[in-house]
Amino acid sequence: MYKSNKSHVKLKDIVNDIKTITDNPIYTNNYAYVFNGVIGGFVDIGEHQGSYVAKEICNILEGNKIEEGILPKSSGMYIFDYKQIYDYNIDILKMPKDSKLLNKPKYALLLPKPLKITVCIVFSLLILIVVYVVYKFIIEIKKSNKNKKLYERAKEREQLKTDFIVNMSHELRTPLNVILSTSKVAELKINTNNYDNKYLLGKLEQINKNSNRLLKLVNNLIDITKFEQGVYEINLENINIVEVVEDIVLASVDYATYKNIDLVFDTEEEEIITAIDKDKIERAILNLLSNAIKFTHKGGSIYVYIKREKDKVFISVEDNGMGIPKDKINEIFNRFYQVSDTLKKHEEGSGIGLCIVEEIVDLHGGKINVYSEVNKGSKFEIILPIYMVEENFKNLQIKDIQQIVKLEMSDVDTKEN
């Protein structure tokens, strides 16, 4: 007890005072100290003595003879603190058998420290190996799925190429057959003197039209090859793009009229000067007009509109024709893709025109948007940046716009309705 106030000294304070004097492990035979920071030892347990003595007293009261005396020879057991054992690096293998451990975690192992460290290392390595195996397994699955997708895409692309070649062969063969059959008929009429000038001019017009179709197909194939090789070039000049688009529309009116289609041009501004390759932009607009005319029903309408917003020019070609399914819109610019046989069976075409349009717009630093709904029509919107370049007069050429239109519209049906 403390002399000053006669209060009891706490057992834990006594143990801590001892630990300030020595680093050696502290053992005890007093059960009360076991829970206050000592390692433990062979501890006397009063409860055991009381229980034994009580049983012996009962035997005496019942008249039973006592041979060994009333007190037990041994009334203790070995008790150790799990944490203190490892703090002082006690050799567990030398601990008495059947020792009782205090403060031992539920899943903790009672092993020598070196062995425990080894077990922890081995267990950690096993976990790392399992994690690595699972990781590699997941990577292999992802790689397998990726390869599978790449294979499917390659397979689909090869199929598209095959379909493209078959379709292109048909597109080349059709005008060739028309040219050959027309020339044969014309030759027969001439040999038999059974003809007139109007008849021959009609046959020559068929030959010219189908020759233009062949030339357009060949030009498209050449351009596709240039795109593939990255050698397609544009020659920019500062020009009024409103006038370019308007001239193209006006030159295409007759082709729309043949199908009883209204072709309307409108603009918010009369002049928008910007750097473009005139021939390439004419070709892109003509391709969109050609598609609009081909896939718009008789009595339909096509609306071409141009406007300026800040530093961009917007050119839209809108029709109320067949339209494009929503799930096909993202595919129509694929150079080997065609929307459907349903559309193709009504009109001629190689299916690569839109790919060329997209490439031309992209080379001008622009983009093209598509808005469409089946049986309600489509709207193609070209967005180009407005900027200037230094003039290069070497590239300026004067071309007959009617010839350009005739070439690009060569696959549009111009039979009188």
Side-chain angles (χ1 to χ4, degrees):
M1 298 179 68
Y2 290 110
K3 292 181 180 181
S4 59
N5 55 13
K6 304 298 183 181
S7 63
H8 289 89
V9 178
K10 293 181 180 180
L11 301 182
K12 194 168 186 177
D13 291 340
I14 296 174
V15 174
N16 288 336
D17 288 341
I18 297 173
K19 287 184 176 181
T20 60
I21 300 172
T22 177
D23 292 329
N24 294 324
I26 304 171
Y27 294 90
T28 184
N29 63 352
N30 189 326
Y31 185 70
Y33 281 94
V34 173
F35 299 95
N36 290 280
V38 301
I39 292 178
F42 189 79
V43 179
D44 292 325
I45 301 176
E47 290 87 344
H48 291 182
Q49 294 176 342
S51 176
Y52 181 84
V53 170
K55 288 179 182 178
E56 294 303 317
I57 291 173
C58 288
N59 285 332
I60 293 172
L61 294 175
E62 292 173 0
N64 296 326
K65 184 179 180 181
I66 300 175
E67 297 179 353
E68 299 182 358
I70 195 168
L71 295 177
K73 293 180 179 179
S74 176
S75 60
M77 63 184 302
Y78 288 102
I79 300 177
F80 297 98
D81 188 306
Y82 181 84
K83 184 176 181 301
Q84 300 295 329
I85 289 173
Y86 285 102
D87 284 347
Y88 286 101
N89 199 23
I90 304 299
D91 189 351
I92 294 172
L93 298 178
K94 295 181 179 180
M95 289 174 58
K97 190 178 181 181
D98 298 328
S99 297
K100 183 178 179 181
L101 291 175
L102 302 176
N103 301 322
K104 177 179 176 295
K106 188 175 181 180
Y107 299 104
L109 299 173
L110 184 62
L111 297 171
K113 197 168 185 177
L115 182 58
K116 190 174 183 180
I117 293 173
T118 303
V119 170
C120 290
I121 293 174
V122 171
F123 186 70
S124 299
L125 288 174
L126 286 174
I127 292 176
L128 289 175
I129 291 172
V130 171
V131 170
Y132 177 77
V133 171
V134 172
Y135 170 77
K136 291 295 291 183
F137 180 72
I138 294 173
I139 292 297
E140 288 300 321
I141 290 178
K142 288 183 177 179
K143 187 177 180 181
S144 176
N145 291 336
K146 184 178 180 181
N147 289 337
K148 186 177 179 181
K149 289 180 180 178
L150 290 174
Y151 171 75
E152 292 297 330
R153 289 178 184 174
K155 186 177 178 181
E156 181 181 359
R157 187 173 178 83
E158 286 301 316
Q159 184 61 47
L160 288 173
K161 284 184 178 180
T162 301
D163 295 341
F164 172 79
I165 292 172
V166 171
N167 179 65
M168 186 57 65
S169 299
H170 170 74
E171 295 296 334
L172 290 169
R173 184 174 56 195
T174 299
L176 278 173
N177 286 337
V178 173
I179 292 171
L180 288 173
S181 61
T182 302
S183 62
K184 286 291 184 182
V185 171
E187 182 183 9
L188 180 62
K189 291 290 185 178
I190 292 173
N191 288 334
T192 58
N193 291 320
N194 183 19
Y195 68 92
D196 55 36
N197 290 340
K198 185 177 180 180
Y199 176 83
L200 285 181
L201 288 174
K203 295 302 179 183
L204 288 175
E205 178 62 25
Q206 289 186 12
I207 291 174
N208 288 335
K209 179 180 178 180
N210 285 277
S211 297
N212 282 328
R213 284 179 61 186
L214 284 175
L215 182 58
K216 179 181 178 179
L217 288 170
V218 172
N219 287 340
N220 286 344
L221 288 173
I222 292 173
D223 287 343
I224 286 293
T225 303
K226 289 181 178 179
F227 291 138
E228 290 278 1
Q229 297 176 350
V231 296
Y232 194 87
E233 296 180 353
I234 59 173
N235 299 311
L236 300 175
E237 57 178 311
N238 301 324
I239 195 169
N240 183 7
I241 193 171
V242 177
E243 184 179 352
V244 172
V245 176
E246 185 177 13
D247 289 345
I248 288 295
V249 174
L250 292 176
S252 305
V253 169
D254 289 343
Y255 293 89
T257 303
Y258 286 134
K259 291 187 64 176
N260 194 26
I261 295 173
D262 289 331
L263 179 55
V264 180
F265 172 78
D266 194 12
T267 178
E268 290 185 358
E269 300 187 34
E270 294 300 323
E271 184 177 84
I272 302 175
I273 305 296
T274 184
I276 60 171
D277 185 319
K278 183 174 180 290
D279 293 340
K280 303 298 190 302
I281 292 298
E282 285 178 343
R283 187 174 180 189
I285 302 299
L286 275 170
N287 194 286
L288 296 181
L289 282 173
S290 173
N291 285 341
I293 293 172
K294 284 190 291 184
F295 300 117
T296 298
H297 303 291
K298 294 178 182 178
S301 61
I302 299 172
Y303 183 61
V304 180
Y305 182 71
I306 184 168
K307 66 178 180 178
R308 175 176 185 164
E309 288 186 6
K310 296 181 180 179
D311 60 346
K312 290 183 174 60
V313 57
F314 292 74
I315 308 167
S316 62
V317 178
E318 185 174 0
D319 64 66
N320 57 0
M322 298 180 182
I324 304 168
K326 288 184 178 180
D327 60 333
K328 306 298 183 183
I329 288 178
N330 292 332
E331 303 289 342
I332 60 175
F333 294 107
N334 189 317
R335 65 195 59 182
F336 302 119
Y337 186 85
Q338 294 170 340
V339 174
S340 70
D341 293 334
T342 303
L343 299 183
K344 287 296 296 175
K345 70 182 181 182
H346 295 290
E347 297 289 347
E348 299 293 342
S350 62
I352 58 178
L354 288 177
C355 165
I356 293 174
V357 173
E358 185 185 45
E359 293 285 357
I360 290 173
V361 172
D362 185 63
L363 286 173
H364 280 79
K367 66 177 182 178
I368 181 168
N369 297 324
V370 185
Y371 312 92
S372 186
E373 189 172 346
V374 175
N375 296 324
K376 290 189 176 181
S378 303
K379 177 181 177 181
F380 288 80
E381 183 181 60
I382 295 175
I383 306 173
L384 299 175
I386 298 176
Y387 62 101
M388 301 292 182
V389 294
E390 293 184 4
E391 294 285 0
N392 184 0
F393 293 100
K394 294 181 179 179
N395 293 324
L396 296 179
Q397 299 181 32
I398 298 176
K399 294 186 178 181
D400 185 355
I401 192 171
Q402 293 295 336
Q403 286 299 116
I404 297 173
V405 173
K406 185 178 291 187
L407 176 63
E408 294 298 328
M409 293 287 185
S410 60
D411 54 358
V412 175
D413 185 9
T414 56
K415 297 178 182 178
E416 294 186 6
N417 297 296

